[in-house]
Amino acid sequence: MAVLLSTKANAMQDWREALLALDPSLEIRMFPEAGDPAGIEAAVVWTAHDMAELRRYPNLRLIVSMGAGVDHLLRSPGPPPGIPVARLVDERLTTGMAEWVLLNVLRFHRQDLDYRAQQAQRIWEELPAPETSSRRIGILGLGELGTAAARLLLHLGFPVMGWSRRPKQVPGVEGFHGPEGLAAMLGRSDILVCLLPLTPETRGVINAQSLALLPRGAFLINGARGGHVVQPDLLAALESGQIGGAALDVFEPEPLPAEHPFWGHPKVVLTPHAASITIPRSAAPQVVKNIHRAREGRPLLNLVDFAAGY
């Protein structure tokens, strides 16, 4: 039985080598060269793979998503019914996202956009020194990624708040949950960080209404999914000064069209869905473990809860 590998062409060989280094007995087939469909027992795939295509494999017993987010798996028609789906919970992936969040919190906290604008105009002017202890950070989503980012920010002395679907306790983080909790946290967030899973309930959560609840001049950091942000509402908030700046790594659609106003906006810093990139040699061990567990009928690691959407 074989493992079907489907990801970006430039990462395919790295994934193959990482999996074989852990279990040389694996037969790896690299999509679209899938061979006999009956020989595929597991599919390790990324966002571009068509879920309908996976219905071709009658003996498929496991699907692994090459990332923390799984919203791409939930799009119609979804994965084959009855086939378990696992996502990656990887230390390097988590650290990478926490680094990206910290980079952009400090970018806004230390007035980097203002200093870069002054540099472009050859202006030598010292801006008022910011106070870390009074710059309140609100994090949407206290899963693996949100909790890691929160701990890093707490270590530097930022007051950190976090919102989750259900009550969650993270030492040092002021917790909020539910619609009333969301409004309360937004009203106190000088920098808002979105690390939520994308579900029908969270789609469009950053909109005109929620942006208006933030303190005037607040900053937005989105490393989750483009679908969380209503783009015209964010652009309007940037133009009005309600939002002082935004760091965006994710968009709808992707790649971001060349004519989109985010590209040239002076208050927007963007990256091409590169905040945290899965490193095959780091993530491969849990993939191999799940392949072995599926073969042996043992409980799988990091299963997706389709009812919850993540």
Side-chain angles (χ1 to χ4, degrees), residues 78-202:
I83 305 301
V85 180
R87 64 188 182 94
L88 293 184
V89 178
D90 177 58
E91 182 178 352
R92 184 63 193 88
L93 195 64
T94 300
T95 300
M97 182 60 77
E99 290 171 350
W100 183 83
V101 169
L102 179 60
L103 167 70
N104 287 292
V105 165
L106 292 178
R107 185 195 309 278
F108 294 135
H109 175 61
R110 295 302 302 265
Q111 305 145 302
D112 188 61
L113 294 185
D114 295 328
Y115 278 122
R116 297 290 71 75
Q118 287 187 180
Q119 180 180 350
Q121 300 175 58
R122 301 174 185 250
I123 296 173
W124 184 278
E125 181 181 336
E126 180 183 290
L127 300 175
E131 182 55 58
T132 304
S133 63
S134 63
R135 181 82 74 177
R136 302 163 299 180
I137 314 296
I139 300 178
L140 296 174
L142 283 177
E144 292 283 336
L145 303 181
T147 298
R151 288 172 176 157
L152 201 56
L153 293 165
L154 285 169
H155 182 69
L156 290 181
F158 290 100
V160 180
M161 302 169 288
W163 182 88
S164 52
R165 188 165 63 101
R166 294 187 293 266
K168 185 172 290 189
Q169 292 185 346
V170 176
V173 176
E174 184 178 359
F176 297 83
H177 68 278
E180 292 184 1
L182 177 60
M185 190 187 81
L186 290 175
R188 295 166 53 196
S189 297
D190 300 310
I191 300 178
L192 181 67
V193 180
C194 181
L195 294 174
L196 287 166
L198 182 62
T199 68
E201 290 73 28
T202 64

Side-chain angles (χ1 to χ4, degrees), residues 3 10 38 45 72 80 86 141 159 205 212 223 288 310:
V3 177
N10 61 358
V45 300
H72 57 285
V205 67
V288 172
Y310 51 89

Side-chain angles (χ1 to χ4, degrees), residues 153 204 259 273 304:
L153 293 165
E259 67 277 8
H273 203 145
V304 175

Side-chain angles (χ1 to χ4, degrees), residues 205-222:
V205 67
I206 300 171
N207 53 39
Q209 181 180 4
S210 56
L211 292 169
L213 292 174
L214 294 167
R216 184 168 180 80
F219 300 96
L220 171 67
I221 297 170
N222 185 22

